[in-house]
Amino acid sequence: MTKPIELFFWPTPNGYKITIMLEELGVPYEVKYINIGKGEQFAPDFLKIAPNNRMPAIIDPDGPGGAPISVFESGAILQYLGRKYGRFYPKDERARVQVEEWLFWQMGGLGPMAGQAHHFRQYAPEKIAYGIDRYTNEVNRLYGVMDRRLADHEYLAGDYSIADMACIGWVRPYENQGQTLEDFPNLKRWFEAVLARPAVQRGIEVGQEERARQASLAEDKEAQKVLFNQRAR
């Protein structure tokens, strides 16, 4: 019997990408929590599979040729799982290009910009108007890009795919980003449709008990010291 995929995870938008994908695939997996507020992402054993000291990461015991393989970076994990199981990542090149466009749009745009909006709006020790406005406005622009795309596409790449899984976790905290979905009706329709999927609901539920046991990051100064203003080690 094949061993489950090991998922190194903490309940964040990037982590949810992988729990959603694994739930959609219906393949067995074992969650290994990496408490990023306590610095567990810097443990030497974890750095062997995730040299950027960021979760998520996976170890697939049944990798190429039947040998184990580790994969870090959420976008690379989604692509790997999509190729392996032949779902949510089309083989047709034209369709695959569309998925990759929106996947990398999330990786290079929506995620980093929303993350900065969260930082300056909630976590920065002093409220810097320029930073708040800069990233709140950029997230608003990106929401507009999604809204226009979704005006004539049911999902970002046409059919439901890893691109949608990559984006949904970053749109969920839209209020913390200073946005309202009422301004983006096509995005709102997509948002509600994706969140209605049972596998998405299960994926987002993973780790909620662990997270509930932790203090709010906005109040946890020790966790902020671990997460923010890191330098090379």
Side-chain angles (χ1 to χ4, degrees):
M1 183 175 181
T2 303
K3 294 180 179 179
I5 290 171
E6 296 177 53
L7 170 61
F8 299 84
F9 168 89
W10 194 247
T12 71
N14 285 332
Y16 294 140
K17 297 175 189 178
I18 313 307
T19 52
I20 289 171
M21 178 60 161
L22 291 167
E23 290 290 343
E24 290 281 12
L25 292 171
V27 299
Y29 67 100
E30 177 184 358
V31 175
K32 297 192 172 183
Y33 289 105
I34 301 296
N35 190 324
I36 58 177
K38 293 184 177 179
E40 293 176 359
Q41 66 271 35
F42 298 107
D45 286 345
F46 181 64
L47 288 174
K48 290 177 182 178
I49 63 171
N52 193 39
N53 57 260
R54 295 287 190 272
M55 66 86 225
I58 65 168
I59 296 177
D60 181 1
D62 183 26
I69 187 173
S70 64
V71 188
F72 75 102
E73 283 296 321
S74 57
I77 298 169
L78 289 173
Q79 289 179 303
Y80 170 76
L81 294 172
R83 289 192 301 269
K84 176 173 179 173
Y85 293 100
R87 297 180 63 196
F88 308 113
Y89 189 33
K91 293 182 180 179
D92 174 77
E93 185 64 15
R94 290 183 181 275
R96 178 167 285 193
V97 165
Q98 288 192 65
V99 171
E100 290 175 339
E101 287 176 327
W102 289 99
L103 174 64
F104 286 103
W105 176 86
Q106 183 280 313
M107 299 291 295
L110 180 62
M113 296 301 102
Q116 292 291 349
H118 290 164
H119 181 84
F120 281 99
R121 294 176 65 87
Q122 297 177 77
Y123 309 132
E126 55 183 297
K127 299 301 181 185
I128 303 171
Y130 179 83
I132 292 172
D133 292 344
R134 165 76 178 91
Y135 293 107
T136 300
N137 289 338
E138 179 61 8
V139 172
N140 188 269
R141 186 191 73 81
L142 293 167
Y143 276 28
V145 172
M146 293 182 76
D147 194 66
R148 290 191 297 275
R149 172 66 175 181
L150 292 164
D152 53 7
H153 292 80
E154 184 176 6
Y155 297 102
L156 287 169
D159 293 332
Y160 179 68
S161 73
I162 58 174
D164 303 289
M165 300 178 205
C167 290
I168 189 62
W170 283 105
V171 178
R172 274 183 76 236
Y174 62 89
E175 292 179 333
N176 291 342
Q177 301 160 16
Q179 311 301 325
T180 172
L181 294 188
E182 304 307 321
D183 294 338
F184 306 100
N186 304 308
L187 175 57
K188 185 174 186 289
R189 186 268 308 159
W190 167 89
F191 179 77
E192 292 172 349
V194 174
L195 285 185
R197 295 178 68 92
V200 173
Q201 295 172 10
R202 293 193 300 271
I204 291 171
E205 186 62 26
V206 176
Q208 290 304 315
E209 291 184 4
E210 289 288 329
R211 189 164 191 168
R213 283 194 279 267
Q214 306 298 312
S216 167
L217 181 57
E219 301 171 357
D220 191 337
K221 302 305 179 185
E222 291 305 312
Q224 290 181 22
K225 290 178 183 178
V226 172
L227 292 170
F228 303 148
N229 300 313
Q230 297 174 11
R231 292 173 61 88
R233 295 189 172 205

